[in-house]
Amino acid sequence: AGVGGGGGAPPPADRAALFRLHISKASDAFGVAKTRPIYERAIEALPDDGARALCLEYAQLETKLGETERARSLYVHAAQMYDPKSEA
């Protein structure tokens, strides 16, 4: 059994941190372009708040790479996960 004895999936905040670690290691080992599938998997797997944060990080990366259309679509995707009623 893991911490807490549940043995299930880690809490969302820990999952986001694990995805960020995976992204960092993949970038160091294989280059930035190889992080795209990891970002995409993380965005699908995490709840909206974690997914939105990673989506914005991914968009910033694409902007740095000169991929403005990819970045724009990521910003649009992140905006769809924003709930103005709960995050005003």
Side-chain angles (χ1 to χ4, degrees), residues 7-53:
D14 291 347
R15 291 177 64 209
L18 289 171
F19 274 117
R20 284 188 177 93
L21 178 62
H22 189 188
I23 289 164
S24 175
K25 297 290 184 181
S27 179
D28 291 346
F30 306 110
V32 176
K34 296 293 183 181
T35 63
R36 285 181 175 128
I38 304 165
Y39 273 112
E40 290 162 8
R41 192 166 54 241
I43 291 165
E44 288 179 19
L46 293 171
D48 281 357
D49 57 340
R52 186 176 55 249

